């Protein structure tokens, strides 16, 4: 039974639990749950009706978290009142008020939001998240796949608050933003696949015409993946660090530590101070099994690490970062790095991952064996014997290898 309907005395009720932290916030009722009768004892009809109520309630909850969607929550209330109104004069009055509210929103927040508000309130447009729960319910895939797909679609719908906002040009603009934010081709391809699955469901429900496909031929040719990103030179890394030091010390520290560990940005941002000893980092939040590793602390950054440990206010080495809804802490500071490198005239061939490639290049130039370098940066072993049977190089060997690498940094404190 869907979690958003319950059997009442004579009919099915639409219900949605209200998170404790949102009760009484920005118009959300101060109660345990939303509840409303669907007016039918037919379960299938009740599910369809309930999905409409739940969609509106979810917009209210989302509005409590994010003011960008508050206008749609209010528009849903207008739509419900107008559609339920039997008195024609009262209905006309509500429609006039709807127009006035739309104009106010357009004046304050722009024409786009004003049009969204009017479209939903007048029943012309449908809030896209109305269909999220029914779509999710009918998925028959592996749990891990469902989890990733629902995260993708939730993120997609945050960009497209109404169904009619999903069209060829808007989808291309969405993909451009993803690329600008550093999403790789494979990541964008996965997100398009998830969104297309949702779109097929809308076609099946006859919400959108079967002939429309805003996702056709939107990806183009595969772009450069991580293996094709270019490394910075050592001097370029120092120049980026110097520039960041002027007004973003946290980013400067991240660059310095990345340059001396070769760690991925999320690995560094997820490091807790309990995972940092006086001499090594214990990286556990890694993308792959090979990424779980001990990395020696290079002597050049020991003062930086000691300062960060002492000053941490949240238990993380890189303190003060906010996690996104997926629990990732690197998103915002990654964008700050993107703006920094762009200001220094580096193009899309250079990302934070390029610093990782800088260190790998430096290890290669220092004649460090490939298997040892792989253990330091968390790569899979390049040879089958070491890859299958080796338990990794000793920490002291990694330390000796890392200390062969140096940068023309000022004193790091």
């Amino acid at each position: 039974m869907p979690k958003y309907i319950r059997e009442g005395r004579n009919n099915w009720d639409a219900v949605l639990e209200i998170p404790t932290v949102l009760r009484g916030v920005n118009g959300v009722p101060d109660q345990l749950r939303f509840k409303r009768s669907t007016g039918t004892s037919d379960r299938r009809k009740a599910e369809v009706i309930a999905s409409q109520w739940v969609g509106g309630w979810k917009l209210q909850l989302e509005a409590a978290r994010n003011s960008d969607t508050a206008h749609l929550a209010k528009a849903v209330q207008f739509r419900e009142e107008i559609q339920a109104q039997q008195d024609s004069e009262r209905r006309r009055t509500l429609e006039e008020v709807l127009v006035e509210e739309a104009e106010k929103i357009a004046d304050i927040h722009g024409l786009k939001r004003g049009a969204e508000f009017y479209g939903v309130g007048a029943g012309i447009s449908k809030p896209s998240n109305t269909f999220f729960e029914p779509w999710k319910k009918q998925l028959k895939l592996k749990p891990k796949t469902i989890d990733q797909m629902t995260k993708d679609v939730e993120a997609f719908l945050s960009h497209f608050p109404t169904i009619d906002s999903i069209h060829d040009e808007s989808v291309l603009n969405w993909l451009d933003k993803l690329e600008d934010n550093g999403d790789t081709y494979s990541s964008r391809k996965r997100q398009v696949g998830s969104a297309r699955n949702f779109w097929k469901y809308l076609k099946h429900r006859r919400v959108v015409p079967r002939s429309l496909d805003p996702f056709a031929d939107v990806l183009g040719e595969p772009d450069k993946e991580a293996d094709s990103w270019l490394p910075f030179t050592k001097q370029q890394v120092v120049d980026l660090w110097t520039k960041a030091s002027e007004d973003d010390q946290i980013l400067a520290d991240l660059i310095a530590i990345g340059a001396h560990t070769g760690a991925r940005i999320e690995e560094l941002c997820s490091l807790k101070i309990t995972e940092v000893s006086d001499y090594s980092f214990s990286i556990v939040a890694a993308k792959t099994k090979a990424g779980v590793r001990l990395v020696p602390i290079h002597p050049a950054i020991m003062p930086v690490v000691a300062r960060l440990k002492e000053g941490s206010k949240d238990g993380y080495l890189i303190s003060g970062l906010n996690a996104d809804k997926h629990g990732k802490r690197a998103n915002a500071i990654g964008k700050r790095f993107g703006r920094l490198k762009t200001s220094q005239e580096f193009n899309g061939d250079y990302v934070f991952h390029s610093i990782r490639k800088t260190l790998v290049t430096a290890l290669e130039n220092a004649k460090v064996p490939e298997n040892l370098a792989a253990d330091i940066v968390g790569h899979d072993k390049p040879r089958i014997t070491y890859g299958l049977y080796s338990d990794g190089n000793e920490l002291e060997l990694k330390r000796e290898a890392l200390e062969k690498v140096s940068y023309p940094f000022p004193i790091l404190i």
Side-chain angles (χ1 to χ4, degrees):
M1 182 185 300
K3 63 182 179 180
Y4 49 87
I5 64 169
R6 288 183 186 172
E7 195 168 10
R9 291 184 179 179
N10 301 311
N11 299 312
W12 290 96
D13 292 329
V15 295
L16 182 68
E17 301 297 318
I18 300 175
T20 303
V21 295
L22 296 181
R23 293 171 191 165
V25 178
N26 289 350
V28 174
D30 188 11
Q31 57 195 38
L32 295 176
R33 63 185 63 85
F34 292 102
K35 181 179 177 182
R36 183 161 182 169
S37 173
T38 64
T40 179
S41 58
D42 185 311
R43 177 175 165 176
R44 289 190 176 182
K45 288 182 180 178
E47 289 180 8
V48 175
I49 295 169
S51 70
Q52 302 296 315
W53 295 118
V54 170
W57 293 334
K58 285 198 163 191
L59 283 169
Q60 282 186 260
L61 295 177
E62 192 175 345
R65 297 188 182 96
N66 181 358
S67 61
D68 286 348
T69 59
H71 64 304
L72 290 188
K74 191 174 182 180
V76 169
Q77 293 175 343
F78 262 103
R79 181 192 66 189
E80 292 169 356
E81 290 183 26
I82 291 172
Q83 291 177 349
Q85 189 54 243
Q86 300 297 318
D87 184 278
S88 58
E89 186 174 344
R90 171 66 177 163
R91 186 185 182 101
R92 281 196 299 272
T93 300
L94 284 172
E95 289 172 345
E96 290 172 1
V97 174
L98 172 66
V99 172
E100 292 173 0
E101 288 294 316
E103 290 174 347
K104 289 178 184 177
I105 290 173
D107 289 341
I108 297 172
H109 300 290
L111 290 174
K112 182 174 180 289
R113 278 200 203 172
E116 288 173 353
F117 178 85
Y118 179 78
V120 172
I124 300 169
S125 302
K126 297 182 177 68
S128 53
N129 80 340
T130 297
F131 304 94
F132 177 74
E133 288 295 341
W135 163 78
K136 182 179 176 182
K137 177 195 165 195
Q138 53 84 49
L139 291 175
K140 292 179 174 57
L141 301 165
K142 294 180 179 179
K144 185 176 180 181
T145 303
I146 290 177
D147 182 59
Q148 181 61 66
M149 190 173 283
T150 53
K151 288 178 180 177
D152 287 342
V153 171
E154 281 183 310
F156 174 76
L157 296 184
S158 71
H159 287 271
F160 298 94
T162 61
I163 296 299
D164 59 316
S165 66
I166 306 172
H167 50 78
D168 295 359
E169 186 175 351
S170 64
V171 168
L172 287 172
N173 290 336
W174 166 64
L175 287 169
D176 286 343
K177 287 183 179 178
L178 292 180
E179 186 173 7
D180 290 343
N181 288 338
D183 287 43
T184 63
Y185 180 86
S186 59
S187 173
R188 299 197 303 276
K189 182 177 180 180
R190 187 201 71 237
Q191 292 177 74
V192 166
S194 298
R196 189 191 292 271
N197 186 290
F198 179 75
W199 188 259
K200 286 181 178 178
Y201 172 77
L202 296 181
K203 285 185 177 182
H204 177 71
R205 287 280 302 272
R206 294 180 173 82
V207 178
V208 297
R210 289 181 176 272
S211 59
L212 289 182
D213 185 3
F215 303 97
D217 302 320
V218 293
L219 283 169
E221 294 298 319
D223 61 1
K224 294 184 176 182
E225 296 288 355
D227 287 344
S228 298
W229 287 325
L230 297 177
F232 295 112
T233 65
K234 290 182 180 180
Q235 186 58 55
Q236 287 170 339
V237 172
V238 173
D239 292 343
L240 288 167
W241 174 84
T242 302
K243 185 65 178 176
S245 298
E246 294 176 3
D247 55 16
D248 194 340
Q249 188 59 51
I250 295 176
L251 180 57
D253 292 338
L254 187 66
I255 291 170
I257 296 173
H260 290 87
T261 60
R264 300 175 177 90
I265 188 170
E266 186 60 43
E267 291 175 344
L268 295 178
C269 293
S270 299
L271 262 178
K272 298 177 181 177
I273 57 175
T274 54
E275 296 162 348
V276 182
S277 72
D278 291 338
Y279 301 102
S280 67
F281 302 105
S282 179
I283 295 178
V284 295
K287 288 178 62 176
T288 64
K289 181 180 178 180
V292 178
R293 63 200 187 278
L294 279 178
V295 180
I297 298 177
H298 194 291
I301 58 171
M302 281 186 174
V304 176
V305 174
R307 169 170 52 79
L308 291 174
K309 286 177 67 177
E310 184 178 353
S312 177
K313 293 180 173 56
D314 54 15
Y316 288 93
L317 184 67
I318 307 297
S319 185
L321 305 180
N322 293 320
D324 62 19
K325 66 179 181 180
H326 303 301
K328 303 296 185 183
R329 302 181 77 247
N331 187 38
I333 198 166
K335 291 178 181 178
R336 279 148 58 184
F337 179 82
R339 291 192 290 271
L340 171 67
K341 62 99 176 178
T342 299
S343 73
Q344 300 303 296
E345 300 185 352
F346 289 102
N347 60 25
D349 291 329
Y350 297 88
V351 293
F352 192 90
H353 199 95
S354 297
I355 298 176
R356 178 175 168 85
K357 300 193 78 169
T358 302
L359 181 73
V360 171
T361 301
L363 291 171
E364 182 180 8
N365 290 337
K367 311 294 185 190
V368 172
E370 190 173 359
N371 284 300
L372 183 52
D375 278 341
I376 293 171
V377 299
H379 279 160
D380 290 326
K381 292 291 183 65
R383 299 290 181 265
I384 188 168
T385 301
Y386 286 167
L388 289 179
Y389 301 111
S390 173
D391 195 32
N393 286 281
E394 294 288 341
L395 186 64
E396 191 55 39
L397 291 178
K398 297 179 189 177
R399 187 185 317 282
E400 291 174 2
L402 265 181
E403 289 183 7
K404 293 180 180 179
V405 176
S406 62
Y407 294 83
F409 274 95
I411 297 174
L412 296 172
I413 57 174

